């Protein structure tokens, strides 16, 4: 029996032995919005072997009406029992790959985009790992359109008594641990009612599945307690936004490919090439790592979010940071990419980061000088003199960069690339047509 058959057999036995009564088949649309439908245990064996047919034209960014049917085939490695808020087993979920009816990968499937990128890295001898830091807010669950009301007014690492938001975060971490998702840290963040959950690294495909799971668990536990949780990048004016700083690394034959003991910064040629590739293509991939109009309200000076295309070892005003590894922990040599927010599609975001990094390695891009100064305090003329460009300032600017990018087109594939641009252009057009409260307050009395 092969490994795939063993995993499928384990899933079938577990469902029977644990008395699971329904299984949710999970996947995402192109924007990373979670989708699901449920099957009974009686259908599970057939689903694992042949996939389940559904109407792909009902999913935004999937197939056209005249060629609508696609297959959702569960990836048995991702099977996980779901627990209710009371801790009892309530069902199970498994992530699916979306296939054409002939069994070939469907081009609109985000998992396929990332799997293809990782396969390309594997052909070059690299395994690709990710470890995100997910920031989010808890708000009192008010009416739609009402001003968000934080549950607390704590700041970094705040420890307070009778802290409802902290209790929700703890309940979430315990639930994730029960599901086999290791959490490295969890703490209060800087803004009121802003919290963070940091995940231990795994291969990037497993981590993209995990990000989708964590978002869902955070929101479900909050909702069960009458609270709204959100990964919206910038929900509060004048406060920090929520990012998804992500640590990336490559391994080559189980050795950390970014580490070189002979380099003054312990950074290998591969690591320097990866960083240089990310810097060179950062503006092109930003529409994917920061895909909403609201994402660009976070990427502004003054709120600890990256704005300038730069790298540094221990300078958090840079876009890419190279954390200093603990003594004797060379395997943890990695880079931290600080642009993504938690509302991106993690499959596509991890894929374009890898594509940019590999490009830098393949082409032998030169690594520019490290940014030692606080970039937020540099004037525009000083930044120009230092050769440090900015990230795109709006979704429209980011889309223009993406549209010109051969790298992003190749990484996403024609189907996803064209659909993504079309969808996001429509979002920008809708946004431009709106008159905001800011404009009413500022201009109506004086113009």
């Amino acid at each position: 029996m092969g490994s795939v058959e063993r995993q499928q057999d384990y899933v079938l036995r577990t469902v029977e032995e644990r008395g699971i009564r329904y299984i949710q088949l999970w996947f995402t649309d192109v924007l990373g919005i979670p989708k699901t439908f449920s099957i009974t245990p009686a259908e599970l064996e057939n689903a694992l072997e042949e996939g389940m047919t559904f109407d792909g034209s009902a999913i935004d960014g999937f197939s056209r009406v005249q060629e609508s049917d696609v297959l959702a085939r569960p990836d048995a490695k991702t099977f996980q029992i779901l627990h209710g808020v009371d801790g009892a087993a309530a069902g199970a979920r498994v992530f699916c790959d979306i296939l054409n009816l002939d069994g070939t990968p469907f081009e609109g499937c985000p998992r396929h985009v990332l799997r293809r990128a990782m396969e390309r890295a594997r052909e070059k001898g690299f395994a690709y790992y990710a470890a995100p830091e997910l920031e989010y807010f808890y708000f009192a669950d008010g009416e739609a359109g009402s001003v968000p009301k934080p549950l607390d007014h704590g700041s970094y690492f705040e420890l307070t008594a009778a802290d409802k938001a902290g209790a929700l975060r703890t309940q979430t971490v315990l639930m994730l641990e029960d599901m086999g998702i290791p959490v490295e840290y969890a703490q209060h963040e800087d803004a009121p009612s802003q919290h963070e959950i940091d995940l231990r690294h795994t291969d990037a495909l497993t981590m993209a599945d995990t990000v989708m799971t964590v978002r869902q668990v955070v929101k479900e536990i909050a909702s069960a307690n009458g609270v709204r949780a959100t990964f919206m990048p910038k929900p509060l004016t004048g406060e920090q936004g929520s990012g998804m700083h992500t640590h990336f690394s490559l391994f080559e034959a189980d050795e950390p490919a970014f580490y070189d003991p002979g380099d003054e910064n312990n950074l290998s040629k591969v690591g320097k090439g990866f960083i240089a590739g990310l810097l060179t293509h950062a503006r092109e991939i930003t529409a994917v790592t920061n895909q909403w109009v609201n994402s660009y309200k976070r990427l502004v000076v003054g709120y600890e979010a990256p704005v300038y295309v730069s790298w540094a070892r221990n300078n958090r005003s840079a876009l890419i940071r190279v954390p200093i590894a603990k003594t004797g922990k060379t395997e943890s040599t990695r880079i931290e990419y600080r642009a993504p927010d938690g509302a991106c599609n993690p499959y596509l975001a991890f894929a374009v980061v890898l594509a940019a990094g590999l490009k830098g390695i393949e082409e032998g891009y030169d690594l520019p000088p490290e940014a030692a100064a606080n970039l937020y305090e540099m004037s525009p003329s000083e930044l120009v003199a230092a050769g440090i460009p900015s990230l795109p300032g709006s979704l429209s600017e980011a889309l223009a960069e993406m549209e010109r990018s051969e790298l992003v087109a190749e990484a996403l594939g024609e189907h996803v690339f064209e659909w993504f641009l079309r969808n996001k252009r429509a979002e920008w057009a809708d946004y431009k047509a709106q008159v905001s409260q800011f404009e009413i307050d500022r201009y109506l009395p004086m113009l």
Side-chain angles (χ1 to χ4, degrees), residues 272-297:
K272 292 175 182 176
F274 195 94
I275 295 170
L278 258 181
L279 292 174
T280 301
H281 298 285
R283 288 176 54 85
E284 300 166 40
I285 68 174
T286 302
V288 179
T289 57
N290 304 79
Q291 64 173 341
W292 307 100
V293 165
N294 181 255
S295 297
Y296 297 84
K297 304 292 175 70

PDB file of all heavy atoms in Angstrom, residues 272-297:
ATOM      1  N   LYS A 272      21.220  35.563  -0.012  1.00  0.00           N
ATOM      2  CA  LYS A 272      21.353  36.922  -0.565  1.00  0.00           C
ATOM      3  C   LYS A 272      20.602  37.045  -1.884  1.00  0.00           C
ATOM      4  O   LYS A 272      19.956  38.060  -2.159  1.00  0.00           O
ATOM      5  CB  LYS A 272      22.832  37.248  -0.763  1.00  0.00           C
ATOM      6  CG  LYS A 272      23.593  37.390   0.545  1.00  0.00           C
ATOM      7  CD  LYS A 272      25.078  37.600   0.303  1.00  0.00           C
ATOM      8  CE  LYS A 272      25.833  37.695   1.622  1.00  0.00           C
ATOM      9  NZ  LYS A 272      27.304  37.800   1.425  1.00  0.00           N
ATOM     10  N   GLY A 273      20.676  35.986  -2.723  1.00  0.00           N
ATOM     11  CA  GLY A 273      19.951  36.016  -3.988  1.00  0.00           C
ATOM     12  C   GLY A 273      18.452  36.058  -3.781  1.00  0.00           C
ATOM     13  O   GLY A 273      17.726  36.763  -4.493  1.00  0.00           O
ATOM     14  N   PHE A 274      17.963  35.296  -2.780  1.00  0.00           N
ATOM     15  CA  PHE A 274      16.520  35.269  -2.492  1.00  0.00           C
ATOM     16  C   PHE A 274      16.049  36.661  -2.066  1.00  0.00           C
ATOM     17  O   PHE A 274      15.024  37.160  -2.540  1.00  0.00           O
ATOM     18  CB  PHE A 274      16.243  34.243  -1.394  1.00  0.00           C
ATOM     19  CG  PHE A 274      14.794  33.876  -1.258  1.00  0.00           C
ATOM     20  CD1 PHE A 274      14.273  32.765  -1.913  1.00  0.00           C
ATOM     21  CD2 PHE A 274      13.933  34.626  -0.461  1.00  0.00           C
ATOM     22  CE1 PHE A 274      12.933  32.408  -1.793  1.00  0.00           C
ATOM     23  CE2 PHE A 274      12.597  34.291  -0.333  1.00  0.00           C
ATOM     24  CZ  PHE A 274      12.083  33.177  -0.997  1.00  0.00           C
ATOM     25  N   ILE A 275      16.806  37.287  -1.181  1.00  0.00           N
ATOM     26  CA  ILE A 275      16.428  38.637  -0.714  1.00  0.00           C
ATOM     27  C   ILE A 275      16.466  39.624  -1.880  1.00  0.00           C
ATOM     28  O   ILE A 275      15.546  40.437  -2.066  1.00  0.00           O
ATOM     29  CB  ILE A 275      17.377  39.111   0.405  1.00  0.00           C
ATOM     30  CG1 ILE A 275      17.227  38.212   1.633  1.00  0.00           C
ATOM     31  CG2 ILE A 275      17.101  40.566   0.772  1.00  0.00           C
ATOM     32  CD1 ILE A 275      18.288  38.460   2.700  1.00  0.00           C
ATOM     33  N   ALA A 276      17.525  39.548  -2.691  1.00  0.00           N
ATOM     34  CA  ALA A 276      17.655  40.473  -3.828  1.00  0.00           C
ATOM     35  C   ALA A 276      16.500  40.284  -4.808  1.00  0.00           C
ATOM     36  O   ALA A 276      15.973  41.255  -5.367  1.00  0.00           O
ATOM     37  CB  ALA A 276      18.995  40.249  -4.526  1.00  0.00           C
ATOM     38  N   GLY A 277      16.075  39.023  -5.013  1.00  0.00           N
ATOM     39  CA  GLY A 277      14.939  38.777  -5.894  1.00  0.00           C
ATOM     40  C   GLY A 277      13.658  39.379  -5.340  1.00  0.00           C
ATOM     41  O   GLY A 277      12.875  39.995  -6.067  1.00  0.00           O
ATOM     42  N   LEU A 278      13.444  39.226  -4.044  1.00  0.00           N
ATOM     43  CA  LEU A 278      12.248  39.802  -3.419  1.00  0.00           C
ATOM     44  C   LEU A 278      12.254  41.326  -3.520  1.00  0.00           C
ATOM     45  O   LEU A 278      11.220  41.944  -3.788  1.00  0.00           O
ATOM     46  CB  LEU A 278      12.188  39.389  -1.942  1.00  0.00           C
ATOM     47  CG  LEU A 278      11.235  38.255  -1.570  1.00  0.00           C
ATOM     48  CD1 LEU A 278      11.295  37.993  -0.071  1.00  0.00           C
ATOM     49  CD2 LEU A 278       9.820  38.588  -1.986  1.00  0.00           C
ATOM     50  N   LEU A 279      13.419  41.929  -3.300  1.00  0.00           N
ATOM     51  CA  LEU A 279      13.504  43.389  -3.388  1.00  0.00           C
ATOM     52  C   LEU A 279      13.243  43.857  -4.824  1.00  0.00           C
ATOM     53  O   LEU A 279      12.510  44.824  -5.057  1.00  0.00           O
ATOM     54  CB  LEU A 279      14.884  43.861  -2.934  1.00  0.00           C
ATOM     55  CG  LEU A 279      15.217  43.676  -1.447  1.00  0.00           C
ATOM     56  CD1 LEU A 279      16.674  44.062  -1.175  1.00  0.00           C
ATOM     57  CD2 LEU A 279      14.288  44.516  -0.566  1.00  0.00           C
ATOM     58  N   THR A 280      13.833  43.158  -5.791  1.00  0.00           N
ATOM     59  CA  THR A 280      13.695  43.569  -7.195  1.00  0.00           C
ATOM     60  C   THR A 280      12.248  43.491  -7.656  1.00  0.00           C
ATOM     61  O   THR A 280      11.771  44.348  -8.411  1.00  0.00           O
ATOM     62  CB  THR A 280      14.577  42.672  -8.087  1.00  0.00           C
ATOM     63  OG1 THR A 280      15.935  42.786  -7.655  1.00  0.00           O
ATOM     64  CG2 THR A 280      14.463  43.070  -9.552  1.00  0.00           C
ATOM     65  N   HIS A 281      11.525  42.484  -7.187  1.00  0.00           N
ATOM     66  CA  HIS A 281      10.160  42.255  -7.685  1.00  0.00           C
ATOM     67  C   HIS A 281       9.088  42.620  -6.650  1.00  0.00           C
ATOM     68  O   HIS A 281       7.914  42.284  -6.845  1.00  0.00           O
ATOM     69  CB  HIS A 281      10.013  40.794  -8.104  1.00  0.00           C
ATOM     70  CG  HIS A 281      10.932  40.411  -9.231  1.00  0.00           C
ATOM     71  ND1 HIS A 281      10.726  40.791 -10.538  1.00  0.00           N
ATOM     72  CD2 HIS A 281      12.111  39.722  -9.230  1.00  0.00           C
ATOM     73  CE1 HIS A 281      11.704  40.326 -11.303  1.00  0.00           C
ATOM     74  NE2 HIS A 281      12.561  39.679 -10.535  1.00  0.00           N
ATOM     75  N   ALA A 282       9.484  43.286  -5.577  1.00  0.00           N
ATOM     76  CA  ALA A 282       8.532  43.570  -4.485  1.00  0.00           C
ATOM     77  C   ALA A 282       7.323  44.368  -4.971  1.00  0.00           C
ATOM     78  O   ALA A 282       6.179  44.060  -4.603  1.00  0.00           O
ATOM     79  CB  ALA A 282       9.240  44.323  -3.357  1.00  0.00           C
ATOM     80  N   ARG A 283       7.567  45.398  -5.779  1.00  0.00           N
ATOM     81  CA  ARG A 283       6.440  46.220  -6.234  1.00  0.00           C
ATOM     82  C   ARG A 283       5.496  45.406  -7.134  1.00  0.00           C
ATOM     83  O   ARG A 283       4.292  45.627  -7.129  1.00  0.00           O
ATOM     84  CB  ARG A 283       6.960  47.456  -6.977  1.00  0.00           C
ATOM     85  CG  ARG A 283       7.596  48.490  -6.048  1.00  0.00           C
ATOM     86  CD  ARG A 283       8.185  49.671  -6.829  1.00  0.00           C
ATOM     87  NE  ARG A 283       7.232  50.304  -7.716  1.00  0.00           N
ATOM     88  CZ  ARG A 283       6.365  51.255  -7.340  1.00  0.00           C
ATOM     89  NH1 ARG A 283       6.335  51.660  -6.080  1.00  0.00           N
ATOM     90  NH2 ARG A 283       5.534  51.790  -8.212  1.00  0.00           N
ATOM     91  N   GLU A 284       6.035  44.442  -7.884  1.00  0.00           N
ATOM     92  CA  GLU A 284       5.213  43.645  -8.802  1.00  0.00           C
ATOM     93  C   GLU A 284       4.304  42.677  -8.049  1.00  0.00           C
ATOM     94  O   GLU A 284       3.209  42.362  -8.523  1.00  0.00           O
ATOM     95  CB  GLU A 284       6.118  42.839  -9.741  1.00  0.00           C
ATOM     96  CG  GLU A 284       7.045  43.676 -10.593  1.00  0.00           C
ATOM     97  CD  GLU A 284       8.123  42.819 -11.238  1.00  0.00           C
ATOM     98  OE1 GLU A 284       7.817  41.702 -11.682  1.00  0.00           O
ATOM     99  OE2 GLU A 284       9.289  43.276 -11.284  1.00  0.00           O
ATOM    100  N   ILE A 285       4.749  42.169  -6.903  1.00  0.00           N
ATOM    101  CA  ILE A 285       3.972  41.140  -6.198  1.00  0.00           C
ATOM    102  C   ILE A 285       3.061  41.724  -5.117  1.00  0.00           C
ATOM    103  O   ILE A 285       2.285  40.995  -4.499  1.00  0.00           O
ATOM    104  CB  ILE A 285       4.894  40.073  -5.552  1.00  0.00           C
ATOM    105  CG1 ILE A 285       5.718  40.656  -4.396  1.00  0.00           C
ATOM    106  CG2 ILE A 285       5.808  39.439  -6.603  1.00  0.00           C
ATOM    107  CD1 ILE A 285       6.527  39.598  -3.635  1.00  0.00           C
ATOM    108  N   THR A 286       3.130  43.047  -4.907  1.00  0.00           N
ATOM    109  CA  THR A 286       2.382  43.637  -3.789  1.00  0.00           C
ATOM    110  C   THR A 286       0.869  43.520  -3.968  1.00  0.00           C
ATOM    111  O   THR A 286       0.129  43.359  -2.982  1.00  0.00           O
ATOM    112  CB  THR A 286       2.793  45.102  -3.591  1.00  0.00           C
ATOM    113  OG1 THR A 286       4.204  45.162  -3.351  1.00  0.00           O
ATOM    114  CG2 THR A 286       2.090  45.709  -2.391  1.00  0.00           C
ATOM    115  N   ALA A 287       0.379  43.561  -5.213  1.00  0.00           N
ATOM    116  CA  ALA A 287      -1.071  43.428  -5.415  1.00  0.00           C
ATOM    117  C   ALA A 287      -1.564  42.072  -4.917  1.00  0.00           C
ATOM    118  O   ALA A 287      -2.731  41.932  -4.532  1.00  0.00           O
ATOM    119  CB  ALA A 287      -1.420  43.599  -6.889  1.00  0.00           C
ATOM    120  N   VAL A 288      -0.679  41.077  -4.912  1.00  0.00           N
ATOM    121  CA  VAL A 288      -1.073  39.743  -4.447  1.00  0.00           C
ATOM    122  C   VAL A 288      -0.925  39.624  -2.932  1.00  0.00           C
ATOM    123  O   VAL A 288      -1.794  39.056  -2.262  1.00  0.00           O
ATOM    124  CB  VAL A 288      -0.233  38.656  -5.148  1.00  0.00           C
ATOM    125  CG1 VAL A 288      -0.622  37.263  -4.663  1.00  0.00           C
ATOM    126  CG2 VAL A 288      -0.397  38.755  -6.660  1.00  0.00           C
ATOM    127  N   THR A 289       0.150  40.154  -2.381  1.00  0.00           N
ATOM    128  CA  THR A 289       0.347  40.055  -0.927  1.00  0.00           C
ATOM    129  C   THR A 289      -0.546  41.041  -0.166  1.00  0.00           C
ATOM    130  O   THR A 289      -0.771  40.867   1.024  1.00  0.00           O
ATOM    131  CB  THR A 289       1.816  40.319  -0.553  1.00  0.00           C
ATOM    132  OG1 THR A 289       2.220  41.603  -1.049  1.00  0.00           O
ATOM    133  CG2 THR A 289       2.731  39.260  -1.144  1.00  0.00           C
ATOM    134  N   ASN A 290      -1.040  42.059  -0.880  1.00  0.00           N
ATOM    135  CA  ASN A 290      -1.892  43.094  -0.263  1.00  0.00           C
ATOM    136  C   ASN A 290      -2.992  43.413  -1.262  1.00  0.00           C
ATOM    137  O   ASN A 290      -2.890  44.361  -2.041  1.00  0.00           O
ATOM    138  CB  ASN A 290      -1.055  44.331   0.069  1.00  0.00           C
ATOM    139  CG  ASN A 290       0.140  44.005   0.951  1.00  0.00           C
ATOM    140  OD1 ASN A 290       1.165  43.513   0.459  1.00  0.00           O
ATOM    141  ND2 ASN A 290       0.019  44.244   2.229  1.00  0.00           N
ATOM    142  N   GLN A 291      -4.066  42.616  -1.249  1.00  0.00           N
ATOM    143  CA  GLN A 291      -4.965  42.581  -2.396  1.00  0.00           C
ATOM    144  C   GLN A 291      -6.219  43.445  -2.272  1.00  0.00           C
ATOM    145  O   GLN A 291      -7.035  43.460  -3.186  1.00  0.00           O
ATOM    146  CB  GLN A 291      -5.383  41.137  -2.663  1.00  0.00           C
ATOM    147  CG  GLN A 291      -6.198  40.509  -1.539  1.00  0.00           C
ATOM    148  CD  GLN A 291      -6.733  39.134  -1.904  1.00  0.00           C
ATOM    149  OE1 GLN A 291      -6.816  38.780  -3.068  1.00  0.00           O
ATOM    150  NE2 GLN A 291      -7.109  38.357  -0.892  1.00  0.00           N
ATOM    151  N   TRP A 292      -6.388  44.162  -1.169  1.00  0.00           N
ATOM    152  CA  TRP A 292      -7.619  44.928  -0.989  1.00  0.00           C
ATOM    153  C   TRP A 292      -7.325  46.435  -0.995  1.00  0.00           C
ATOM    154  O   TRP A 292      -6.224  46.867  -0.638  1.00  0.00           O
ATOM    155  CB  TRP A 292      -8.294  44.557   0.350  1.00  0.00           C
ATOM    156  CG  TRP A 292      -8.510  43.084   0.493  1.00  0.00           C
ATOM    157  CD1 TRP A 292      -7.745  42.209   1.210  1.00  0.00           C
ATOM    158  CD2 TRP A 292      -9.535  42.295  -0.117  1.00  0.00           C
ATOM    159  NE1 TRP A 292      -8.231  40.926   1.090  1.00  0.00           N
ATOM    160  CE2 TRP A 292      -9.336  40.946   0.277  1.00  0.00           C
ATOM    161  CE3 TRP A 292     -10.604  42.596  -0.959  1.00  0.00           C
ATOM    162  CZ2 TRP A 292     -10.170  39.912  -0.149  1.00  0.00           C
ATOM    163  CZ3 TRP A 292     -11.439  41.559  -1.380  1.00  0.00           C
ATOM    164  CH2 TRP A 292     -11.215  40.246  -0.969  1.00  0.00           C
ATOM    165  N   VAL A 293      -8.325  47.228  -1.350  1.00  0.00           N
ATOM    166  CA  VAL A 293      -8.187  48.693  -1.250  1.00  0.00           C
ATOM    167  C   VAL A 293      -7.708  49.070   0.138  1.00  0.00           C
ATOM    168  O   VAL A 293      -6.814  49.905   0.321  1.00  0.00           O
ATOM    169  CB  VAL A 293      -9.541  49.374  -1.552  1.00  0.00           C
ATOM    170  CG1 VAL A 293      -9.517  50.829  -1.086  1.00  0.00           C
ATOM    171  CG2 VAL A 293      -9.862  49.301  -3.038  1.00  0.00           C
ATOM    172  N   ASN A 294      -8.279  48.428   1.140  1.00  0.00           N
ATOM    173  CA  ASN A 294      -7.962  48.742   2.530  1.00  0.00           C
ATOM    174  C   ASN A 294      -6.524  48.368   2.908  1.00  0.00           C
ATOM    175  O   ASN A 294      -5.950  48.946   3.847  1.00  0.00           O
ATOM    176  CB  ASN A 294      -8.955  48.022   3.447  1.00  0.00           C
ATOM    177  CG  ASN A 294      -8.730  48.299   4.908  1.00  0.00           C
ATOM    178  OD1 ASN A 294      -8.209  47.457   5.630  1.00  0.00           O
ATOM    179  ND2 ASN A 294      -9.102  49.499   5.360  1.00  0.00           N
ATOM    180  N   SER A 295      -5.911  47.429   2.166  1.00  0.00           N
ATOM    181  CA  SER A 295      -4.539  47.009   2.477  1.00  0.00           C
ATOM    182  C   SER A 295      -3.575  48.191   2.469  1.00  0.00           C
ATOM    183  O   SER A 295      -2.584  48.221   3.215  1.00  0.00           O
ATOM    184  CB  SER A 295      -4.065  45.965   1.462  1.00  0.00           C
ATOM    185  OG  SER A 295      -4.840  44.787   1.527  1.00  0.00           O
ATOM    186  N   TYR A 296      -3.858  49.179   1.622  1.00  0.00           N
ATOM    187  CA  TYR A 296      -2.918  50.299   1.431  1.00  0.00           C
ATOM    188  C   TYR A 296      -3.126  51.406   2.468  1.00  0.00           C
ATOM    189  O   TYR A 296      -2.356  52.355   2.518  1.00  0.00           O
ATOM    190  CB  TYR A 296      -3.012  50.798  -0.018  1.00  0.00           C
ATOM    191  CG  TYR A 296      -2.580  49.663  -0.923  1.00  0.00           C
ATOM    192  CD1 TYR A 296      -3.488  48.678  -1.311  1.00  0.00           C
ATOM    193  CD2 TYR A 296      -1.254  49.511  -1.288  1.00  0.00           C
ATOM    194  CE1 TYR A 296      -3.084  47.586  -2.067  1.00  0.00           C
ATOM    195  CE2 TYR A 296      -0.844  48.432  -2.041  1.00  0.00           C
ATOM    196  CZ  TYR A 296      -1.757  47.465  -2.417  1.00  0.00           C
ATOM    197  OH  TYR A 296      -1.344  46.382  -3.142  1.00  0.00           O
ATOM    198  N   LYS A 297      -4.163  51.256   3.297  1.00  0.00           N
ATOM    199  CA  LYS A 297      -4.308  52.152   4.450  1.00  0.00           C
ATOM    200  C   LYS A 297      -3.345  51.730   5.559  1.00  0.00           C
ATOM    201  O   LYS A 297      -3.025  52.521   6.442  1.00  0.00           O
ATOM    202  CB  LYS A 297      -5.758  52.124   4.963  1.00  0.00           C
ATOM    203  CG  LYS A 297      -6.823  52.470   3.909  1.00  0.00           C
ATOM    204  CD  LYS A 297      -6.733  53.929   3.505  1.00  0.00           C
ATOM    205  CE  LYS A 297      -7.700  54.274   2.370  1.00  0.00           C
ATOM    206  NZ  LYS A 297      -9.108  54.267   2.767  1.00  0.00           N
TER     207      LYS A 297
END
